[in-house]
Amino acid sequence: MRLLTRSLAAVAVTAGALGLASAAYQTWGSTRDRRRYPPPGRMIDVGGRRIHLWIEGAGDPAVVVVPALGESCLDFAALLPALAAETRTVVFDRAGLGWSDPVRKPMAQLDAADDLRTALHQAGVEPPYVLVGHSMGGYVLRLFAAAYPGEVAGLVFVDSSHPEQHRIPGYHWKTVRYAAARRARWFGVRRLLVDLGLPSPRSSAVPAEYAAAWTALRLGDRQRRTSWWELALRAQIAAAVGERTGPLGSTPVTVLTCSKNDPYATTRKERALLRQHLQSWYPLQADLAALSTDSKHVVARRAGHYIHHHEPELVVEAILDMVRRVRP
């Protein structure tokens, strides 16, 4: 019995020491990576904090892109050249994501529209804007349009979240389970393995020149912490967005929606779950289109939730079509 107790104590001490070592290596690595990978855009002061805007191109109206939950501006890097060739294009890092400074507020996403407007004005990017939002980035579009309707020329929702997506079977349980799984990972160990030369997690949709920076951001303290809060508080954020926003009147809107042909759904079980999910998802997407009296709803034929990864040309064309519709 004493031997068993000692063995368990030794295991506990070893696990604790490894956990501390992992945390220390993670903190050191995050600090190092912020020096190694400077921001591709501009750091804009919004009142004691800095927001990162990646600005390319010239022309009006400006396109402003808001990425999804836990995603940085690099998630849209592949689309930036095509968009910037037509008009000024801005990709926004919300507080705590990408290169933007964090804010010690779990529900910070609800302030993202104000951060975005302040940063755009400080950077000299004049309204009105064509706003583009992917997934939870769509919430920021709706908050922005509700607070500053005169500064919005049009909106493009890319498989956007909906405040009532709790209708999807098992939504809350899946959210809590996924959040717990993300929080439990030993990122310091993952970072060490990457530093030792083992294959790193990477999105194939990110251009090769930004692959190392993308990996560093995904493994960093700031983005991990912000991603976890956004994920864990999805239901509360959705409820707040539903309370603060409403119809969009005659503001032009385009809604892009994923299809059952998701390249990431590779097994029979995954495809079956996707079909079940879409039974609730499609009505919510149609509801987004119904927010405006001037709307288009397009279902991607070969894309999952990350439509801009699977069919980037479709997303680019939808955004540029909106630019041409609202351009004086």
Side-chain angles (χ1 to χ4, degrees):
M1 187 65 180
R2 288 182 179 177
L3 181 60
L4 177 60
T5 302
R6 290 176 181 174
S7 298
L8 292 175
V11 169
V13 170
T14 301
L18 288 174
L20 289 173
S22 175
Y25 191 78
Q26 168 68 4
T27 300
W28 174 82
S30 296
T31 302
R32 176 203 61 186
D33 286 344
R34 283 194 288 271
R35 294 193 300 266
R36 291 172 66 184
Y37 304 108
R42 295 173 55 185
M43 302 299 297
I44 310 296
D45 186 273
V46 295
R49 291 184 293 111
R50 299 174 306 158
I51 290 294
H52 177 241
L53 298 181
W54 192 357
I55 307 173
E56 298 287 349
D60 296 312
V63 169
V64 180
V65 182
V66 185
L69 180 153
E71 295 289 355
S72 73
C73 62
L74 296 183
D75 195 52
F76 274 83
L79 276 63
L80 197 52
L83 296 173
E86 176 86 15
T87 192
R88 178 179 291 188
T89 303
V90 182
V91 191
F92 168 54
D93 278 336
R94 295 195 299 281
L97 297 175
W99 284 269
S100 289
D101 290 339
V103 57
R104 303 296 181 181
K105 188 178 181 182
M107 299 283 280
Q109 192 183 38
L110 298 178
D111 299 324
D114 293 332
D115 280 354
L116 176 58
R117 180 177 185 264
T118 301
L120 288 170
H121 282 241
Q122 292 283 73
V125 182
E126 299 296 329
Y129 312 113
V130 169
L131 300 178
V132 181
H134 173 227
S135 194
M136 281 186 78
Y139 286 162
V140 180
L141 268 58
R142 296 188 63 178
L143 292 167
F144 194 108
Y148 313 108
E151 299 189 9
V152 179
L155 303 111
V156 179
F157 294 101
V158 182
D159 215 42
S160 171
S161 298
H162 189 289
E164 296 185 30
Q165 59 193 37
H166 57 268
R167 299 181 200 170
I168 299 173
Y171 167 76
H172 289 299
W173 164 241
K174 291 175 183 176
T175 298
V176 173
R177 183 177 62 184
Y178 186 47
R182 287 177 64 90
R183 187 64 172 175
R185 292 175 181 171
W186 282 14
F187 274 70
V189 174
R190 293 184 65 195
R191 179 182 292 279
L192 176 61
L193 294 176
V194 170
D195 289 346
L196 290 174
L198 295 181
S200 62
R202 181 200 162 191
S203 170
S204 59
V206 176
E209 62 265 35
Y210 300 111
W214 184 88
T215 298
L217 290 174
R218 299 284 283 195
L219 295 177
D221 289 331
R222 292 179 180 179
Q223 189 148 310
R224 177 171 62 98
R225 189 179 300 112
T226 301
S227 300
W228 186 84
W229 280 118
E230 288 189 345
L231 185 63
L233 298 174
R234 264 200 310 189
Q236 293 91 322
I237 292 171
V241 171
E243 292 172 359
R244 298 184 188 186
T245 63
L248 295 167
S250 60
T251 302
V253 167
T254 297
V255 175
L256 300 178
T257 304
C258 68
S259 74
K260 64 181 180 180
N261 300 314
D262 184 350
Y264 292 155
T266 56
T267 67
R268 181 179 298 178
K269 181 179 180 180
E270 288 172 339
R271 289 192 290 268
L273 290 173
L274 177 61
R275 286 193 294 270
Q276 181 186 32
H277 171 84
L278 292 178
Q279 290 177 0
S280 302
W281 190 247
Y282 282 149
L284 296 177
Q285 296 291 293
D287 187 61
L288 288 177
L291 291 172
S292 170
T293 58
D294 181 7
S295 67
K296 295 182 179 180
H297 188 185
V298 179
V299 176
R301 294 184 177 182
R302 306 182 306 278
H305 183 52
Y306 282 77
I307 302 176
H308 54 296
H309 292 182
H310 305 144
E311 291 192 65
E313 66 287 346
L314 175 65
V315 178
V316 168
E317 182 53 39
I319 295 170
L320 295 183
D321 173 69
M322 177 63 73
V323 168
R324 294 159 190 155
R325 285 166 65 188
V326 302
R327 177 174 279 162

